[in-house]
Amino acid sequence: MSDIEQAPPGVDITVPSPARMYDYILGGTDNYEVDRTAVEAVRAKMPELEDAAWANRGFLQRSVRWLAEQGVRQFIDIGAGLPTMNNTHDAAQAVAPDARILYADNDPLVAVHANELLAGSSGTAFITADFRDPDGLLGHEETLAMIDFSEPVALLAVALTHFVPDDDDPWGLIRQYMERLVPGSYLALTSITSDRQVDESVGNLKRVYSRSSAGAFPRTRSEVERFFTGLEIVPPYEGAEAALTYVGMWGAEDPEAADSDGSRWGYCAVARKTG
Ligand SMILES: C[S@@+](CC[C@H](N)C(=O)[O-])C[C@H]1O[C@@H](n2cnc3c(N)ncnc32)[C@H](O)[C@@H]1O
C-alpha cells in the first residue's frame, strides 16, 4: 500500500511533520517518506541526531519518575508526540499507579495514534490542542475532567518550545500555564540549543525544519533560562548546582558518561513553583 492510501484523513503527507520526524528518528513506524527524507537531510549535517533524540527522551522518563517520587500525581504533557513506548504515563504510573496524565498535541497523526495507544489505559486522556492556546487547552472538557487545579500539576514542555517562534512568545505562554497552577507544581522543559554547535549543522537543521509544518528555533542558554523565571530550579543530579543542564545529564547516575555530543543539543531543567 502506498503512503497516500495509508494516510488517515486530515494527515498531510506532502509536508514533513515534527511529530512524525521524531517518531522516525526514534525508530517508529508512524511516519511517511516526506518525513524520512527530511530527517535524513538533518542527519547529513548532524550525525548525532538519534543520540540527541534519545537523550531528550531519557530526560522525559527520568524527570517524570522523579516528579512522581516527589508526590506529583497530575501531569499535563504538551507536545506529547506519543512514541510507541515509555511514555509519560508509563513512567509516572510505574511509581504511582493513580497518577493522571493529560496528553496534548496539535499533530493530527498523533491524535490517531494516541487513541489506539491509550485505549484501555486508565488515568490518561489525549486532546488535540495547540500550546499557543492556553485557554483552549486548559479549558478543554477532557482537561477539566482529568486535572484538579487545586492540586499540584507537573507541566511538561519537552522538546516543544523550540517549535514556537519568538513572535508567538513561548516564554509568555509558559508563564500563562504556570500562573494557572498552584504552588508545589512543577515545570519540566527541554529545548534545542545552538550553543557550541557548528553553524553549518544549525543552519541546515533550521532550513530543513522551516519546510516542515512547524519550523525549529534553537535557543541560547539564557533564552532557555527565561522559561524558568520566578520558579525554583532543582539540582539536576547529585552534587550539581540548581541550574540548567544538558538533557542527557539530568537525573543521570553517571552524568559525565551521559555528557554525549547528542545530549549537548538540548538544555533542560525541572523547576518548582514556590509561591
Ligand atoms: C519532538 S516531539 C517531542 C515529543 C515528546 N514531548 C518528547 O520530548 O519525547 C515535539 C512534539 O510537539 C508537537 N508540537 C509542536 N508544536 C506544537 C504546538 N504549537 N502545540 C502542540 N503541540 C505541538 C509536535 O506535534 C510533536 O509531537
Side-chain angles (χ1 to χ4, degrees), residues 77-95:
D77 184 352
I78 309 181
L82 285 185
T84 7
M85 58 177 76
N86 298 331
N87 284 298
T88 299
H89 68 282
D90 300 306
Q93 293 177 347
V95 175

Side-chain angles (χ1 to χ4, degrees), residues 18-19 22 56-57 60 77-83 104-107 110 129-132 158-160 162-164 214:
Y22 189 63
N56 175 73
R57 196 75 192 147
L60 175 77
D77 184 352
I78 309 181
L82 285 185
D105 204 289
N106 67 351
D107 188 293
V110 173
D130 199 297
F131 167 62
R132 292 164 294 185
V158 181
L160 168 71
H162 54 235
F163 294 117
V164 181

Side-chain angles (χ1 to χ4, degrees), residues 136-215:
L137 197 155
L138 295 177
H140 194 287
E141 59 175 355
E142 294 273 7
T143 311
L144 299 174
M146 178 65 69
I147 303 294
D148 174 356
F149 284 95
S150 69
E151 292 290 326
V153 173
L155 180 75
L156 311 179
V158 181
L160 168 71
T161 54
H162 54 235
F163 294 117
V164 181
D166 288 10
D167 285 352
D168 286 344
D169 190 14
W171 300 276
L173 288 163
I174 289 288
R175 192 175 58 244
Q176 285 184 56
Y177 283 95
M178 293 309 293
E179 276 170 4
R180 310 282 182 92
L181 307 181
V182 296
S185 293
Y186 287 88
L187 169 66
L189 182 146
T190 71
S191 169
I192 292 182
T193 184
S194 48
D195 287 359
R196 300 206 235 165
Q197 299 297 346
V198 179
D199 285 351
E200 197 190 357
S201 306
V202 175
N204 182 58
L205 178 141
K206 285 164 77 169
R207 212 167 22 255
V208 173
Y209 273 95
S210 72
R211 297 193 287 264
S212 83
S213 55

